[in-house]
Amino acid sequence: MPLFYFQTFGCQMNVADSEQIRKKLMMRGFKPSLSPDKADIIVVNTCSVRENAEIRARVKIGEFAKSKKENASLWVIGCMAERLGDKLKRIIPEIDLVIGAKRIDEIDGIIEKQLPGCVCSKLPETESNVTDFVPVMRGCNNYCTYCIVPYVRGPEHSIPVGEIENVIREKVTNGVKEITLLGQNVNSYNDHETDFPDLLYKIANIKGLERIRFTTSHPKDCNEKLIRAIAEIPKMSRHVHLPVQAGSDKILKMMNRNYESFQYLELVDMIKKYLPDADITTDIMVGFPGETDKDFRETLQLVKQVRYTTAFMFAYSVREGTEAASMVDNVPKEIKISRLNELINLQTSITKEIYSNVVGKECEVLITGQQKKRDRFWMGQDKGCKKVLVSCNSIKAGMILKVRAVRSSGMTLICERIV
Ligand code: 5AD
Ligand code: SF4
């Protein structure tokens, strides 16, 4: 029985793509291998968004190149594969196949060519995860000046509604209760007839689907119609991820974000008005070219004002080929790191406060699985983005329970079941 091994870096889109390819290999008789050394095909799905992600992927590919079985194939796919193309094969000659992110739609044909004569069969019904990802659009047209994504993923294109509905229906039949709609900028979804809020209304009609999430949004395309849709559809999670990137208007302009901080804050007010209990989360970057201490203080001020439940926080990393790469990267590394630490400390204290404010309150939890280490605890997520542990017998993954938070351990709510 031939075996495969996957190593996935980067965003949820990569996780979803890896899953698709796993399925295609399984349909051709492959089975997952626990160790890369035993695998016949090793697939590394890569990310280019920051230099660090590329370095980690290259180290891993180097390790696989040395340790793989003699005739095993090494495939490198995703954003770094798109950015470097066959240059990767010259750096690491053991690589057999490079499939860039723009060619992911052609994956069926590519696999067919690589594995000729493999008989394709239907996958046996297996128990699915409770929660799963569904890409609805790919690519990005925004060209934020720091970002490599529009270059490696190409222009935006939306998947037709009917196709998305079919994918979700099949997943729901296999036991999926919650789906996360994915795109670099889901708010600009448009398949010529349906925009993103209308897509949500349509998907909400799918029977057996209990919860809908989506990520990620660009503030410039996040409008009242979308917020109203989230408020009106009971299946929608109460979570809006809204990357702000910076709090200084000067920096936002240099980033080509197309909004000023006051517009972002108006949007946040609108979300809080329609969805008072929602979790708002964000992405923030420090150390962009030209960021002064005053600019950075404006970011901290905005974070204090919005009070995000959690945030992904990064130090700016130069990406060759982007517009910002030709600006002078003039914030010293030590300052980037100290700003990042200050921001993380501020956000961590806000996160802890938000979590502890929920203690004593009721929430609705989707149970996703059992903790491996302490099997007394079941893991789940509330309707927002908060991680939850429930200690109780007779629970199963996929159940939606009413619980009360009895304690917060910083970034996790410990809950007891009510019904
Ligand atoms: N340097 C640092 N962070 C970046 N991001 C995107 N490009 C860069 C870069 N060059 C961050 C942004 C984005 C998230 C996915 O990654 O915050 O929202
Ligand atoms: Fe990159 Fe901006 Fe597009 Fe997001 S919206 S993928 S940050 S260019």
Side-chain angles (χ1 to χ4, degrees):
M1 191 82 78
L3 300 176
F4 63 73
Y5 185 87
F6 271 79
Q7 176 86 47
T8 302
F9 293 92
C11 63
Q12 290 155 329
M13 188 67 90
N14 274 10
V15 175
D17 288 343
S18 288
E19 192 50 36
Q20 270 313 97
I21 301 172
R22 268 171 69 92
K23 277 201 185 128
K24 293 189 196 306
L25 291 176
M26 286 174 81
M27 285 163 79
R28 288 168 173 83
F30 281 76
K31 290 268 177 295
S33 165
L34 292 176
S35 138
D37 311 351
K38 297 199 175 70
D40 300 278
I41 296 182
I42 301 175
V43 184
V44 186
N45 198 349
T46 58
C47 169
S48 280
V49 83
R50 280 169 294 279
E51 192 185 10
N52 233 337
E54 289 205 350
I55 293 171
R56 283 191 298 137
R58 279 212 222 179
V59 168
K60 212 62 205 173
I61 299 165
E63 283 173 19
F64 291 148
K66 283 211 188 76
S67 69
K68 74 182 178 83
K69 283 199 316 198
E70 200 171 318
N71 290 320
S73 297
L74 181 53
W75 296 4
V76 180
I77 66 173
C79 290
M80 186 174 75
E82 182 68 48
R83 199 175 81 74
L84 297 176
D86 282 341
K87 228 192 270 172
L88 269 172
K89 280 194 188 165
R90 288 199 289 278
I91 305 169
I92 306 173
E94 289 86 353
I95 297 175
D96 298 281
L97 181 66
V98 176
I99 313 172
K102 285 182 193 162
R103 288 169 69 208
I104 221 79
D105 293 339
E106 302 160 30
I107 201 77
D108 262 329
I110 297 172
I111 292 181
E112 203 61 54
K113 230 168 99 189
Q114 290 298 313
L115 306 170
C118 262
V119 186
C120 216
S121 59
K122 227 178 131 80
L123 269 186
E125 295 246 327
T126 50
E127 213 169 295
S128 293
N129 287 335
V130 164
T131 171
D132 208 349
F133 300 122
V134 176
V136 299
M137 57 89 64
R138 291 177 183 277
C140 181
N141 295 343
N142 292 325
Y143 289 93
C144 301
T145 55
Y146 50 80
C147 189
I148 195 75
V149 168
Y151 303 91
V152 289
R153 290 218 174 246
E156 287 176 3
H157 53 285
S158 298
I159 297 163
V161 177
E163 228 174 276
I164 297 170
E165 286 173 322
N166 287 342
V167 170
I168 297 176
R169 275 199 203 98
E170 195 188 323
K171 287 185 189 289
V172 170
T173 312
N174 290 333
V176 171
K177 303 282 182 208
E178 171 186 89
I179 50 130
T180 303
L181 306 175
L182 294 182
Q184 255 66 49
N185 178 17
V186 284
N187 310 152
S188 61
Y189 176 89
N190 200 317
D191 81 340
H192 304 298
E193 282 163 27
T194 308
D195 63 6
F196 190 62
D198 289 338
L199 176 70
L200 296 180
Y201 286 108
K202 287 187 183 170
I203 286 172
N205 288 328
I206 297 177
K207 284 213 177 64
L209 178 65
E210 306 276 0
R211 265 192 195 172
I212 306 168
R213 298 179 178 277
F214 64 87
T215 196
T216 181
S217 317
H218 193 300
K220 77 171 172 49
D221 303 309
C222 182
N223 53 25
E224 191 158 7
K225 182 175 176 189
L226 174 62
I227 312 290
R228 203 179 311 125
I230 302 173
E232 281 175 5
I233 302 172
K235 288 181 185 180
M236 287 307 300
S237 71
R238 296 305 194 241
H239 174 203
V240 185
H241 183 68
L242 202 60
V244 65
Q245 311 298 358
S248 143
D249 290 336
K250 178 190 96 187
I251 298 295
L252 287 171
K253 192 158 188 1
M254 286 169 72
M255 288 177 162
N256 188 33
R257 289 293 288 176
N258 278 305
Y259 54 84
E260 291 192 13
S261 56
F262 86 92
Q263 289 163 311
Y264 183 90
L265 291 168
E266 278 175 6
L267 199 51
V268 167
D269 283 344
M270 184 158 62
I271 297 171
K272 288 182 175 171
K273 188 181 95 193
Y274 277 96
L275 306 159
D277 55 347
D279 286 315
I280 304 176
T281 58
T282 200
D283 294 351
I284 312 177
M285 210 183 297
V286 299
F288 187 79
E291 185 188 70
T292 61
D293 199 54
K294 177 171 168 285
D295 296 318
F296 173 60
R297 301 281 140 212
E298 287 174 12
T299 297
L300 295 177
Q301 186 49 42
L302 183 137
V303 168
K304 283 184 195 151
Q305 204 168 330
V306 177
R307 292 182 63 78
Y308 296 107
T309 303
T310 55
F312 296 112
M313 296 162 279
F314 312 102
Y316 168 70
S317 155
V318 183
R319 306 315 291 136
E320 213 180 294
T322 61
E323 220 178 294
S326 59
M327 302 174 190
V328 186
D329 181 18
N330 58 354
V331 180
K333 201 169 166 205
E334 311 79 68
I335 302 235
K336 280 183 189 161
I337 292 170
S338 81
R339 284 182 189 164
L340 183 59
N341 284 334
E342 192 174 345
L343 176 64
I344 291 173
N345 286 338
L346 169 65
Q347 180 53 51
T348 307
S349 67
I350 296 172
T351 300
K352 280 191 181 152
E353 279 170 28
I354 292 181
Y355 268 75
S356 55
N357 286 345
V358 188
V359 171
K361 299 207 172 113
E362 283 180 23
C363 56
E364 197 187 275
V365 176
L366 171 65
I367 301 293
T368 50
Q370 199 162 18
Q371 259 206 337
K372 285 213 178 80
K373 277 188 230 137
R374 296 176 289 173
D375 59 8
R376 200 160 64 83
F377 280 110
W378 288 82
M379 301 176 295
Q381 198 170 21
D382 72 355
K383 256 201 132 170
C385 71
K386 296 186 203 75
K387 300 278 172 256
V388 166
L389 286 179
V390 189
S391 158
C392 180
N393 299 323
S394 63
I395 292 186
K396 259 187 11 200
M399 286 171 105
I400 291 184
L401 305 178
K402 274 239 156 57
V403 300
R404 178 175 288 109
V406 287
R407 194 156 59 79
S408 151
S409 74
M411 297 265 265
T412 312
L413 291 174
I414 319 294
C415 298
E416 60 184 21
R417 185 173 177 180
I418 304 174
V419 279

